[in-house]
């Protein structure tokens, strides 16, 4: 996916503030944070959104969630709590069509989901 922003970030063609990386996932700070901690967790294998999850193996898919929890531990918000958000498609206002999870925390988040 040559024209995919997150594939370019993962390849180092566009700089990012990396938090964590493993065989299946890459995590980096969001450029426009919505909370004191706002990290994006992406699958290294390109797939546009969670609706296309069949593009990924169960291991690749599960790795994303494990990395979200890992990042929360690393950044010290595992105990205080955090929110994992996935936007899928137009009605969810997904802007980058490479499946990703937002890990948000570091303060008391709004009770409502949107
Ligand atoms: P979405 O709206 O697709 O769920 O989330 C896309 C996220 O990517 C947004 O929170 C946005 O701030 C973030 N983002 C967009 N472009 C860049 C970029 O070039 N670098 C980083 N680190 N984050 C980006
Ligand atoms: Zn991509």
């Amino acid at each position: 996916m040559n024209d995919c922003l997150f594939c370019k970030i993962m390849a180092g063609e566009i700089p990012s503030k990396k938090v964590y990386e493993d065989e299946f996932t890459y995590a980096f700070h969001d450029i426009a944070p919505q909370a004191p901690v706002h990290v994006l967790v992406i699958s290294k294998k390109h797939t546009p959104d969670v609706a296309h999850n069949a593009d990924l193996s169960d291991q690749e898919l599960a790795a994303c969630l494990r990395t979200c929890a890992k990042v929360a531990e690393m950044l010290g918000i595992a105990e205080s709590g955090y929110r994992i958000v996935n936007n899928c498609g137009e009605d969810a206002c997904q802007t980058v069509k490479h499946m990703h999870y937002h890990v948000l925390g570091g303060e008391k988040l709004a009770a409502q989901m949107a």
Side-chain angles (χ1 to χ4, degrees), residues 5-6 9 14-17 28-34 38 40 85-88 92-98 100 102:
L5 174 66
F6 285 175
I9 282 177
I14 294 173
S16 67
K17 289 204 263 177
F28 56 104
H29 291 282
D30 196 290
I31 204 168
Q34 304 296 308
H38 187 173
L40 300 173
V85 173
N86 173 267
N87 294 321
C88 179
C93 303
Q94 182 185 1
T95 57
V96 181
K97 311 297 188 200
H98 179 129
H100 56 279
H102 301 253

Side-chain angles (χ1 to χ4, degrees), residues 16-33:
S16 67
K17 289 204 263 177
K18 181 168 100 171
V19 176
Y20 175 78
E21 180 177 14
D22 62 22
E23 184 181 357
F24 299 116
T25 65
Y26 185 83
F28 56 104
H29 291 282
D30 196 290
I31 204 168

Side-chain angles (χ1 to χ4, degrees), residues 1 4 6-7 46-47 97-98:
M1 275 284 158
C4 171
F6 285 175
C7 282
H46 178 94
T47 191
K97 311 297 188 200
H98 179 129

